[in-house]
Amino acid sequence: MVKMNDNYQKLPGSYLFSTVAKKVNAYQKAHPEAEIIRLGIGDVTEPLVPAIIEALHGAVDEMASRETFRGYAPDLGYDFLRNAIAENDFQARGCDIQADEIFVSDGAKCDCGNLQEIFAVDNKIAVCDPVYPVYVDSNVMAGRTGMYNKERENFDGVIYMPCREENNFLPELPSETPDLIYLCFPNNPTGEAIRKSELQEWVDYANKTGAVIFYDAAYEAYIAEEGVPHSIYECEGAKTCAIETRSFSKNAGFTGLRLGYTVIPKELVRGGVSLHSLWARRHGTKFNGAPYIVQRAGEAVYSEAGKAQLKEQIAYYMRNARTIKAGLTEAGFTAYGGVNSPYIWLKTADNMTSWEFFDYLLNKLHIVGTPGSGFGAQGEGFFRLTAFGSYENTLEAVKRLKSM
């Protein structure tokens, strides 16, 4: 008889953003006249910039000629993109990362979920709370956790690192030593960033204990303040303890194109085994390479024109972030984030639960956000709004919020 992976049965309900989408779609169907402003899922809304469009058209034209046609892409990525990434994202910031330590993929979400596969199931993970759900859910599916604890609203067998107002939403070193540590900065969902000196403490801790850090830097392009690292490899010793994932979705609008990458330094070894080699083996077996057309578009991100155009686009979203945060503050809300990231993390009104506040905003103001409790127990009483809407919709949303 066929047997199922029972670990999937541990997961409560559906994926957070699937639940949000179902609720919104049901409301829209029942109220087709409602003008809903969607500030929930972190999907970009501005079109691809001209430099990227030009690169896409050029690559498509190449596919029409026998001399320039491309078939299967190299599973680890084309050299032209890996070299551009190494030079611009790392070496330009003083990080000694080489092109052959970069693995191109179809998105950071996939890499964040798949990286755990090269580790044994008896490794213990540590995650921030609140946290991007993929980190936890993928480990639950793999059997690396216990059952879901309804009373605590989290999983047995996982080390949760509370990120609260009193600690500036930054995790503290855990009392129980983990094997795998998930960090995301600038943070999703709280929008807060970590200083280099604070991140260095985590690198030192991982090297001391033998832990491995999974560092999600998907939002590094939004960093505005000095002293906030764009990469964990800016910290001394990170190459012997850290894996970093990046995305082209938020910095360049590739949510519909799908492109990302993971960095695993060759110095990263555990138990005498090279993690770089393990991931290369896994990547080559299970991934067929990101499309040539998309990788050429990714290369355009690093062109002079691409850099200039994307700087303006990021500034557009960050103006939205400042507008939302200022409006919330004027309306009497307590709000965080919005300085080094496109997310605003606010306290719910009138002591509502996160989902009560979600329902209130949807039903009364026709605004969609994301309930904080969906990111973990410590997110209860909070709510996430994104700056990825249009400026006009952002102004209208703020106007509605002020009417509460």
Side-chain angles (χ1 to χ4, degrees):
M1 179 181 290
V2 173
K3 295 183 179 180
M4 300 297 104
N5 181 349
D6 291 336
N7 293 307
Y8 278 69
Q9 303 302 317
K10 299 176 184 177
L11 294 168
S14 61
Y15 181 56
L16 170 62
F17 297 108
S18 298
T19 302
V20 169
K22 289 175 183 177
K23 279 179 166 283
V24 175
N25 290 339
Y27 183 83
Q28 186 77 83
K29 185 176 181 180
H31 303 85
E33 77 289 349
E35 296 182 1
I36 297 175
I37 298 177
R38 300 169 187 262
L39 302 178
I41 296 175
D43 194 1
V44 296
T45 53
E46 288 299 290
L48 297 170
V49 300
I52 293 171
I53 292 295
E54 183 179 352
L56 284 168
H57 282 300
V60 168
D61 289 341
E62 287 184 60
M63 302 299 274
S65 170
R66 180 174 286 107
E67 290 72 25
T68 54
F69 173 79
R70 305 292 182 110
Y72 287 125
D75 51 14
L76 306 186
Y78 282 102
D79 287 342
F80 62 77
L81 179 57
R82 297 168 86 193
N83 286 328
I85 291 169
E87 179 181 346
N88 290 275
D89 286 348
F90 298 101
Q91 294 165 12
R93 295 190 177 279
C95 304
D96 182 23
I97 296 297
Q98 303 304 310
D100 61 358
E101 296 175 305
I102 295 164
F103 299 82
V104 176
S105 71
D106 57 354
K109 178 181 179 180
C110 298
D111 287 351
C112 287
N114 293 330
L115 278 164
Q116 50 78 27
E117 287 189 18
I118 65 174
F119 297 91
V121 294
D122 56 355
N123 282 300
K124 180 152 287 191
I125 69 167
V127 297
C128 296
D129 183 3
V131 67
Y132 181 46
V134 171
Y135 308 152
V136 176
D137 288 3
S138 58
N139 278 283
V140 173
M141 293 171 179
R144 204 169 280 111
T145 74
M147 299 299 293
Y148 183 73
N149 189 309
K150 292 184 179 180
E151 183 177 340
R152 294 198 316 266
E153 297 183 311
N154 57 29
F155 286 92
D156 295 329
V158 174
I159 300 172
Y160 288 91
M161 303 178 291
C163 298
R164 306 186 183 99
E165 286 179 283
E166 53 266 33
N167 59 4
N168 297 315
F169 298 103
L170 295 179
E172 298 177 355
L173 297 175
S175 56
E176 181 182 357
T177 303
D179 300 298
L180 309 175
I181 303 169
Y182 287 81
L183 297 177
C184 173
F185 290 105
N187 186 258
N188 177 16
T190 68
E192 292 298 300
I194 192 169
R195 298 287 169 178
K196 184 178 179 180
S197 59
E198 295 165 329
L199 184 57
Q200 184 67 57
E201 292 180 11
W202 283 96
V203 170
D204 294 342
Y205 173 81
N207 278 320
K208 179 181 178 180
T209 62
V212 173
I213 296 173
F214 292 163
Y215 193 74
D216 185 349
Y219 301 95
E220 65 80 27
Y222 293 85
I223 293 172
E225 294 182 315
E226 295 292 329
V228 176
H230 288 252
S231 168
I232 195 170
Y233 301 117
E234 294 178 39
C235 295
E236 184 178 354
K239 292 183 69 176
T240 57
C241 70
I243 296 171
E244 181 168 307
T245 58
R246 295 272 191 108
S247 170
F248 284 78
S249 290
K250 305 305 192 293
N251 69 323
F254 279 41
T255 53
L257 290 183
R258 307 307 307 146
L259 189 66
Y261 66 86
T262 288
V263 179
I264 304 185
K266 292 181 179 178
E267 292 97 319
L268 183 47
V269 176
R270 289 294 182 271
V273 178
S274 164
L275 272 62
H276 180 279
S277 297
L278 287 184
W279 185 243
R281 186 66 174 86
R282 189 267 175 205
H283 207 62
T285 299
K286 293 191 174 185
F287 184 63
N288 231 21
Y292 171 73
I293 295 169
V294 177
Q295 292 196 52
R296 279 298 184 193
E299 180 188 31
V301 168
Y302 301 103
S303 67
E304 290 306 311
K307 289 177 182 178
Q309 292 162 11
L310 289 172
K311 184 177 180 180
E312 291 183 6
Q313 191 169 88
I314 289 169
Y316 176 90
Y317 290 131
M318 289 310 292
R319 179 175 67 162
N320 288 349
R322 291 191 297 273
T323 300
I324 294 171
K325 190 172 183 180
L328 288 169
T329 301
E330 291 175 17
F333 286 92
T334 300
Y336 301 91
V339 176
N340 295 299
S341 88
Y343 293 126
I344 294 86
W345 186 244
L346 64 139
K347 280 188 172 181
T348 61
D350 300 326
N351 294 317
M352 294 185 197
T353 67
S354 296
W355 279 106
E356 287 173 347
F357 193 60
F358 173 90
D359 290 334
Y360 177 87
L361 291 187
L362 178 59
N363 288 277
K364 302 296 183 181
L365 303 183
H366 301 157
I367 296 173
V368 177
T370 309
S373 59
F375 297 99
Q378 297 299 325
E380 181 57 83
F382 286 88
F383 202 76
R384 193 194 76 174
L385 293 174
T386 84
F388 288 125
S390 69
Y391 184 58
E392 294 72 23
N393 279 348
T394 297
L395 291 175
E396 176 60 26
V398 169
K399 179 181 176 182
R400 296 180 191 180
L401 287 165
K402 286 182 176 180
S403 71
M404 286 183 62

